[in-house]
Amino acid sequence: MTVNLLDFDQPKLVKFFTEQGEKTFRAKQLMRWMHHFGVHDFEQMTDIARPLRESLAATAEIRPPEVKLEQISDDGTRKWLIEAGGGNGIETVFIPEDERGTLCVSSQVGCALECTFCSTGRQGFNRNLTVAEIIGQLWVANKALGRDPKGDRIISNVVMMGMGEPLANFDNVVTALNIMLDDSAYGLSRRRVTVSTSGLVPAMDRLGDECPVALAVSLHAPNDKLRDEIVPINQKYPLKELMAACRRYLEKAPRDFVTFEYVMLDDVNDKLQHAQELLSLVQDVPCKFNLIPFNPFPDSGYRTSSSDNIHRFRDVLMRAGHIVTTRKTRGDDIDAACGQLAGQVQDKTRRVEKRVLIHHRQRQAVI
Ligand code: SAH
Ligand code: SF4
């Protein structure tokens, strides 16, 4: 089988070349061609001798994922629907801001964790993305966006906040992160690459050990009772354990705070009493808050908190000395906002089917 070299970080490329009796510096050369210059044709790699180019072309390929659709929002946000085989597709979003350009990258086709307010979670789970499919999103976006007039890359930040739970696809995500950070590839700073997790505690520890980058934790509730309900992984890793894991992570992290994400759901988690509870929950964890107005999707069953409630909630946290940002909704016209990424998921968990059944039973009970 032909190997796809986009699946390899530099150590894996070194192994690939040494196994063929080639020098280790070839790995760096190839990383530069593939990722720094975005070249996928071996023929264009002019500083690699022709016989090696030919043998590479015979045994390997550089195959980026295929773009099925690209949409551009009025506010400059761009979304790519990327082919994932078997009727599946995943989404990648670029969000331009004044001082930076952020790419929001997916890690799985769907998600198995079933947070109740998340469109990806609602769709069920199909499979983990390969390294080539994860880094391929940056490859594709980078090629489309290029560099600014000063010669800097338009994409300055990456957030693993697209479809899927990155820490549930640990090995592939970490290999892709290594490529993002590699100076021969994208050379992003650890502080500008963020992994967002719903709180897989053992994997958070592994990330701290193996590839510490900036960390965002999807908190969304200040107590176990509510979090068990809306972020069900909390039943396995409750808040006390999650907070301890955040503290351990900070000992290794490139930043000295964790970002807590908190989706604002009307009448569910947006009361002042929730804000007070939140303050005592995080008192031992250096953190910032990112309040995300709930982005609706069909049949979600939730409403977005009013802006008054969001302001009041924010003020409680700010008065206690916290830095709080409220996420602006971007790319509204192309459904590119947080939690709206739908892609195309062929559910293998039969979740959608089960939900339809429950829905029918409930209706029958009512009738
Ligand atoms: N699985 C990871 C990363 C992907 S989701 C995680 O859960 O952290 C990125 C962020 O969007 C998470 O904080 C997630 O909880 C939030 N989110 C999910 N659905 C949303 C919605 N409908 N509106 C607003 N934010 C949502
Ligand atoms: Fe999965 Fe994150 Fe959505 Fe929860 S919020 S279902 S963990 S993608």
Side-chain angles (χ1 to χ4, degrees), residues 89-107:
I90 48 131
E91 293 184 336
T92 306
V93 176
F94 171 72
I95 307 137
E97 285 171 292
D98 291 346
E99 299 292 318
R100 62 183 171 204
T102 304
L103 192 70
C104 181
V105 170
S106 294
S107 55

Side-chain angles (χ1 to χ4, degrees), residues 217-281:
V217 173
S218 294
L219 205 49
H220 307 318
N223 60 58
D224 284 321
K225 186 164 178 290
L226 182 56
R227 197 162 190 269
D228 280 352
E229 191 188 310
I230 64 178
V231 184
I233 193 67
N234 194 67
Q235 296 162 21
K236 196 162 177 193
Y237 305 114
L239 284 169
K240 193 158 177 277
E241 287 180 35
L242 182 57
M243 292 303 118
C246 291
R247 283 195 296 274
R248 287 194 298 276
Y249 192 87
L250 285 176
E251 287 168 19
K252 318 214 166 110
R255 287 189 177 270
D256 53 8
F257 62 90
V258 169
T259 302
F260 286 126
E261 293 160 282
Y262 197 97
V263 61
M264 299 298 294
L265 302 165
D266 182 42
D267 213 18
V268 173
N269 66 353
D270 66 345
K271 301 270 186 285
L272 294 188
Q273 156 216 339
H274 292 122
Q276 295 292 355
E277 235 181 317
L278 201 49
L279 288 174
S280 49
L281 176 72

Side-chain angles (χ1 to χ4, degrees), residues 159-216:
V159 292
M160 298 299 303
M161 292 187 189
M163 298 169 69
E165 165 53 52
L167 295 186
N169 182 12
F170 190 88
D171 291 342
N172 291 349
V173 165
V174 164
T175 304
L177 294 176
N178 285 337
I179 302 172
M180 294 175 198
L181 302 172
D182 190 327
D183 282 337
S184 305
Y186 301 94
L188 292 172
S189 123
R190 287 183 186 279
R191 300 156 58 86
R192 289 173 171 269
V193 175
T194 301
V195 165
S196 174
T197 179
S198 55
L200 301 188
V201 165
M204 287 166 66
D205 285 322
R206 272 188 76 193
L207 187 71
D209 289 336
E210 294 179 29
C211 189
V213 290
L215 183 71

Side-chain angles (χ1 to χ4, degrees), residues 23 36 63 92 111 122 158 170 175 178 180-181 197 220 224 229 243 253 275 283 323 336 345 350-351 355 359:
K23 295 273 185 344
H36 188 79
R63 185 162 40 83
T92 306
C111 183
R122 280 286 177 94
V158 169
F170 190 88
T175 304
N178 285 337
M180 294 175 198
L181 302 172
T197 179
H220 307 318
D224 284 321
E229 191 188 310
M243 292 303 118
Q283 61 188 351
I323 293 177
V345 180
R350 301 186 57 208
R351 183 178 317 157
R355 209 176 16 252
H359 184 71

